[in-house]
């Protein structure tokens, strides 16, 4: 009987932990959509395909092949998001991420990446946020987060590029 209770408790704790981890991941994904990270990397993918199309221009790669290859964008963005979640997890608690999301929902949070659009009130809201525990964590971890994001970017984009070159080569198109 004790073993059954222990197993039930273990499963219950495991389920709660997984659900919390899953919510953390969802909240970070909301955060990186709100702060422009996702839009930036979608642009990176678009630029990579433009570069590939130039590199392979002499190969007369059909539009249908490019269309097929570009279908990787969604899954590639999902992969990148998970990598970024991992970086956030190393630096921020779930509460920190929730605080960031709360900021991004405000007028000040929406304008913070457009300094010319910031009102005096927005500047006060941002100043108060960056004086909070979460804001201080963002400031103090900025170098470490930038290094993590740089490593993620290099690894992710390099793998994506190599994958696209390999797929083109498999279809008979070589540089």
């Amino acid at each position: 009987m004790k073993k059954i209770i222990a197993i039930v408790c273990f499963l219950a704790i495991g389920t709660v932990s997984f659900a919390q981890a899953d919510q953390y991941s969802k909240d970070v994904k909301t955060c990186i959509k709100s702060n422009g990270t996702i839009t930036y990397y979608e642009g990176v993918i678009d630029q990579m395909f433009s570069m590939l199309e130039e590199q392979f221009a002499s190969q007369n790669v059909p539009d249908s092949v490019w269309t097929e290859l570009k279908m990787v964008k969604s899954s590639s963005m999902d992969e990148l998001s998970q990598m970024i979640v991992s970086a956030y997890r190393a630096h921020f608690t779930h509460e920190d991420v929730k605080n960031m999301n709360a900021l991004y929902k405000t007028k000040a949070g929406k304008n913070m990446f457009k300094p010319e659009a910031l009102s005096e009130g927005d500047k006060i809201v941002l100043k108060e946020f960056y004086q909070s525990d979460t804001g201080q964590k963002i400031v103090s971890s900025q170098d470490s987060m930038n290094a993590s994001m740089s490593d993620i970017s290099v690894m992710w984009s390099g793998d994506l590029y190599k994958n696209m070159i390999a797929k083109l080569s498999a279809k008979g198109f070589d540089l």
Side-chain angles (χ1 to χ4, degrees):
M1 183 66 170
K2 287 183 182 180
K3 287 182 182 180
I4 293 173
I5 292 172
I7 290 171
V8 169
C9 288
F10 177 74
L11 289 174
I13 291 169
T15 302
V16 169
S17 295
F18 177 75
Q20 289 172 343
D22 188 50
Q23 190 58 49
Y24 182 92
S25 186
K26 286 179 184 176
D27 288 345
V28 169
K29 289 175 183 179
T30 298
C31 187
I32 61 178
K33 282 181 186 170
S34 298
N35 70 17
T37 301
I38 292 299
T39 300
Y40 171 79
Y41 281 103
E42 287 173 341
V44 167
I45 290 177
D46 295 340
Q47 289 174 347
M48 181 200 67
F49 276 110
S50 294
M51 183 181 70
L52 284 169
E53 287 174 10
E54 286 178 28
Q55 290 175 331
F56 283 83
S58 66
Q59 295 286 310
N60 296 317
V61 178
D63 288 341
S64 61
V65 171
W66 291 117
T67 299
E68 177 188 333
L69 292 176
K70 289 177 182 178
M71 292 177 77
V72 74
K73 187 173 185 176
S74 178
S75 62
S76 184
M77 291 306 299
D78 288 343
E79 179 183 326
L80 174 67
S81 294
Q82 276 310 119
M83 294 168 83
I84 294 172
V85 166
S86 180
Y88 269 68
R89 196 178 304 282
H91 292 86
F92 306 111
T93 66
H94 195 180
E95 194 60 34
D96 292 327
V97 174
K98 289 177 184 178
N99 292 338
M100 289 179 220
N101 284 334
L103 173 68
Y104 293 141
K105 288 178 183 175
T106 67
K107 180 178 168 278
K110 290 176 183 167
N111 289 338
M112 71 187 290
F113 302 108
K114 304 176 275 185
E116 69 283 353
L118 287 173
S119 69
E120 287 306 312
D122 293 340
K123 290 176 185 176
I124 291 169
V125 169
L126 292 174
K127 181 179 178 185
E128 288 172 357
F129 176 80
Y130 282 103
Q131 289 174 344
S132 72
D133 289 343
T134 298
Q136 289 298 303
K137 228 186 251 188
I138 291 169
V139 171
S140 68
S141 67
Q142 193 165 15
D143 290 341
S144 178
M145 263 307 275
N146 286 344
S148 293
M149 290 301 294
S150 179
D151 291 345
I152 287 168
S153 184
V154 167
M155 185 176 13
W156 170 79
S157 61
D159 287 348
L160 181 59
Y161 180 79
K162 286 186 254 178
N163 188 6
M164 293 301 102
I165 294 290
K167 286 183 178 192
L168 284 162
S169 181
K171 292 181 177 293
F173 305 104
D174 294 302
L175 289 174

